[in-house]
Amino acid sequence: MLKTSSKKIYVKTYGCQMNVYDSNRIKNLFEPKGYTETASVEEADIVVLNTCHIREKAAEKVYSDIGRIAKKRNKNNSSKLTLVVAGCVAQAEGEEIKNRAPLVDFVVGPQSYHTLPAMIEDNDKFINDEFLQNEKFKNLLFKSSDKVSEFVSVQEGCDKFCSFCVVPYTRGSEFSRPVQDIQSEIQQYIDSGVQEVILLGQNVNAYHGKNKNDKSIDLAYLINTIAEFENIKRIRYMTSHPRDMDESLIDAHASNPKLMPFLHLPIQSGSDHILKKMNRKHTKKQYFKIVEKLKNKRPDIALSSDFIVGFPGETDEDFDLTMQLVKEIEFVIAYSFMFSPRPGTPAFKLKDIDTSIKKARLSALQSLLKEQQRNYNKSFVGKNIEVLFDRKGRHANQYIGRSIYNQSVFTSSKDNLIGTIQDVPIIHSTNFALEAML
Ligand code: SAM
Ligand code: SF4
Ligand code: F3S
């Protein structure tokens, strides 16, 4: 039975920004029940592990964390602690979690976690892994925010079925929230001072929500609608798929000054042969075409990507094509991973390549990406750039924000800069950040 006295909830988030968003919603769901957040497992009455299944390492980490929590539970004799596994491991492994980790009390998937308070209260059901996107969003709670920048989930799920990826199975099919629901969530954040929204979706540019006239609209329309909020100064979106990068969205980068000139557009590999085996449904040439159109509309746009190295069948020549593409596109940042065979995906059955080869390729790619990022950051020294400051740094009077190109920028000031947009001169750069002098 959930008591309404002061109780504590601890939520640990693994994986992507969508999970960060979901973790915030889970905390919000328990607030009316009298729960406040704690950063310590020892203090918690409910522990929620909001998990990620994307690579083997991420999924296995959950089980070692469960083991550690279980030990604490025995040591403190705190059998009252309720242990919940949520997120993509919950969806993918479901009932099996009970066998591997009998101490887990409840399992909820990413599209059914709104039922968690009732599941704990009624205590008659171990698992809810249904795909209830519509019902979920209707039952979530959106509280005010103490941040300058907030994530807003606008799209969920994926219909692309890349051969390596678990997301279509863990998050379900593509679903878009209606415009009015998104607007009212953003209005709450504006009321508490939020100035930037980052629109989230596994394939955010596949957004096709309904407007108030029940007409299906695309991401560009949604962005333009959100830009009408005077207090929203900046809009970003992630993650996009090249196949859904349509003309209206490319145009929005030129016509909407609130849309930031930064785009995370994963390509995964520079080899058509591998792209085909990955079932990406686009070629390198098509990707270049999108980049060309974007740069025609917004020449300064900064591009980012994800890469998988060591996909089954990737030869040295395929990998060289990836390295070549990174240089040609001049990505300013990118995330790269060794292929991890995931059960249930088509690529799981393919012959995995040697780990030492994967490691060597990852290291070469990451050095190149780091060098490009360093050079990109260096090119701003001596110039001014517009920054939205959103938090305090570790040092006294230090403030940190994001440039329009999504770089981290720090500076010192006696005035409180949080929530201000400043055009700041850059005096120094590192691989990962810029330093400004006010
Ligand atoms: N929807 C996005 C897209 O289309 O690229 C992001 C999906 S996923 C959450 C983030 C990244 O994880 C992917 O872009 C891919 O690079 C990586 N990833 C997914 N499955 C993987 C696997 N089995 N092994 C290694 N990396 C993987
Ligand atoms: Fe995964 Fe591909 Fe869907 Fe991205 S587009 S979530 S990589 S299946
Ligand atoms: Fe992981 Fe699920 Fe996100 S698998 S990356 S938490 S969509």
Side-chain angles (χ1 to χ4, degrees):
M1 176 80 177
L2 288 179
K3 288 192 196 139
T4 47
S5 57
S6 174
K7 292 207 158 202
K8 305 264 188 225
I9 181 165
Y10 169 93
V11 183
K12 177 165 176 178
T13 310
Y14 309 68
C16 64
Q17 283 87 353
M18 305 264 337
N19 260 15
V20 174
Y21 178 87
D22 291 342
S23 289
N24 288 335
R25 298 292 77 74
I26 291 172
K27 290 172 210 163
N28 288 164
L29 282 169
F30 282 89
E31 279 172 42
K33 310 277 176 197
Y35 282 74
T36 50
E37 191 186 353
T38 173
S40 130
V41 174
E42 277 83 0
E43 270 187 19
D45 299 279
I46 298 178
V47 169
V48 180
L49 305 179
N50 194 17
T51 62
C52 173
H53 200 245
I54 203 83
R55 285 169 288 275
E56 190 182 357
K57 239 192 206 153
E60 286 307 310
K61 176 133 197 351
V62 175
Y63 289 100
S64 59
D65 284 355
I66 292 173
R68 216 165 318 126
I69 292 164
K71 260 194 211 145
K72 276 188 188 151
R73 189 197 236 174
N74 293 339
K75 207 165 108 197
N76 302 346
N77 201 14
S78 59
S79 53
K80 67 180 175 68
L81 183 154
T82 301
L83 180 54
V84 180
V85 176
C88 291
V89 173
Q91 190 66 43
E93 303 193 3
E95 291 277 354
E96 281 166 53
I97 294 175
K98 202 190 251 170
N99 301 331
R100 272 192 78 179
L103 287 164
V104 172
D105 298 301
F106 298 98
V107 168
V108 277
Q111 308 302 3
S112 51
Y113 64 80
H114 60 290
T115 63
L116 184 58
M119 281 169 74
I120 297 179
E121 192 146 317
D122 301 343
N123 199 16
D124 60 358
K125 191 173 176 184
F126 170 70
I127 182 167
N128 189 349
D129 57 0
E130 290 176 80
F131 289 104
L132 305 170
Q133 287 95 325
N134 212 354
E135 184 190 309
K136 178 183 85 173
F137 278 109
K138 285 202 174 91
N139 285 282
L140 289 181
L141 299 175
F142 305 100
K143 302 279 172 162
S144 59
S145 164
D146 55 1
K147 303 209 187 78
V148 172
S149 175
E150 264 296 347
F151 291 130
V152 178
S153 171
V154 302
Q155 185 276 343
E156 289 255 358
C158 177
D159 297 340
K160 301 287 185 295
F161 291 92
C162 299
S163 62
F164 51 81
C165 185
V166 295
V167 172
Y169 313 98
T170 62
R171 293 269 170 176
S173 55
E174 289 178 3
F175 169 83
S176 299
R177 288 175 73 194
V179 179
Q180 278 181 299
D181 289 10
I182 297 167
Q183 282 172 313
S184 64
E185 181 180 344
I186 293 177
Q187 184 61 58
Q188 286 220 6
Y189 298 146
I190 292 173
D191 294 344
S192 49
V194 166
Q195 297 184 43
E196 177 183 75
V197 286
I198 304 169
L199 308 179
L200 295 182
Q202 267 89 32
N203 274 298
V204 71
N205 56 345
Y207 178 84
H208 54 273
K210 294 270 169 69
N211 71 3
K212 62 177 188 296
N213 304 321
D214 217 30
K215 195 172 156 255
S216 185
I217 56 129
D218 63 11
L219 185 65
Y221 185 105
L222 178 68
I223 288 169
N224 292 334
T225 308
I226 294 170
E228 285 170 15
F229 284 113
E230 202 188 323
N231 291 345
I232 293 296
K233 306 285 189 241
R234 289 180 165 196
I235 302 170
R236 302 181 190 275
Y237 60 95
M238 67 188 300
T239 294
S240 297
H241 191 284
R243 267 175 56 108
D244 294 317
M245 210 59 223
D246 58 22
E247 299 291 337
S248 59
L249 189 53
I250 294 174
D251 284 348
H253 276 281
S255 60
N256 191 329
K258 291 188 180 180
L259 184 58
M260 291 294 102
F262 174 85
L263 177 62
H264 182 59
L265 189 65
I267 181 165
Q268 313 294 353
S269 167
S271 155
D272 279 339
H273 154 69
I274 295 297
L275 288 175
K276 191 147 196 251
K277 287 185 80 177
M278 286 177 164
N279 194 31
R280 286 291 290 178
K281 302 190 184 92
H282 61 79
T283 61
K284 189 167 93 173
K285 196 169 163 196
Q286 285 164 330
Y287 188 89
F288 270 94
K289 189 82 204 150
I290 297 165
V291 171
E292 188 189 314
K293 283 187 193 168
L294 277 162
K295 292 204 164 169
N296 280 340
K297 295 276 175 182
R298 183 79 207 217
D300 63 335
I301 195 158
L303 293 169
S304 144
S305 177
D306 290 342
F307 291 96
I308 294 180
V309 300
F311 187 81
E314 186 188 70
T315 61
D316 285 343
E317 289 71 34
D318 292 319
F319 177 66
D320 287 346
L321 289 169
T322 298
M323 295 289 274
Q324 207 178 306
L325 174 123
V326 168
K327 290 179 198 154
E328 284 174 54
I329 303 273
E330 296 180 320
F331 290 106
V332 302
I333 185 172
Y335 305 90
S336 45
F337 315 97
M338 284 192 279
F339 169 70
S340 170
R342 306 303 292 131
T345 63
F348 184 68
K349 295 188 221 94
L350 304 176
K351 193 177 174 321
D352 202 7
I353 70 173
D354 208 84
T355 307
S356 61
I357 297 176
K358 287 188 194 173
K359 278 192 179 154
R361 289 182 187 162
L362 186 67
S363 157
L365 176 59
Q366 290 186 336
S367 314
L368 173 62
L369 289 167
K370 206 168 164 190
E371 186 191 325
Q372 288 190 188
Q373 190 178 359
R374 184 171 54 239
N375 291 341
Y376 182 66
N377 285 344
K378 218 186 214 169
S379 72
F380 288 88
V381 176
K383 294 183 187 155
N384 273 38
I385 193 163
E386 204 184 276
V387 177
L388 169 59
F389 287 95
D390 56 11
R391 68 206 132 102
K392 288 209 77 153
R394 268 184 297 142
H395 305 293
N397 299 330
Q398 191 184 48
Y399 292 91
I400 304 177
R402 294 258 157 208
S403 76
I404 56 171
Y405 306 111
N406 212 33
Q407 296 141 302
S408 190
V409 183
F410 62 95
T411 194
S412 262
S413 169
K414 288 208 178 67
D415 299 325
N416 180 3
L417 299 182
I418 294 176
T420 65
I421 294 180
Q422 313 263 349
D423 194 34
V424 292
I426 302 301
I427 53 160
H428 183 67
S429 72
T430 68
N431 288 352
F432 306 109
L434 300 175
E435 185 180 358
M437 173 79 101
L438 279 191

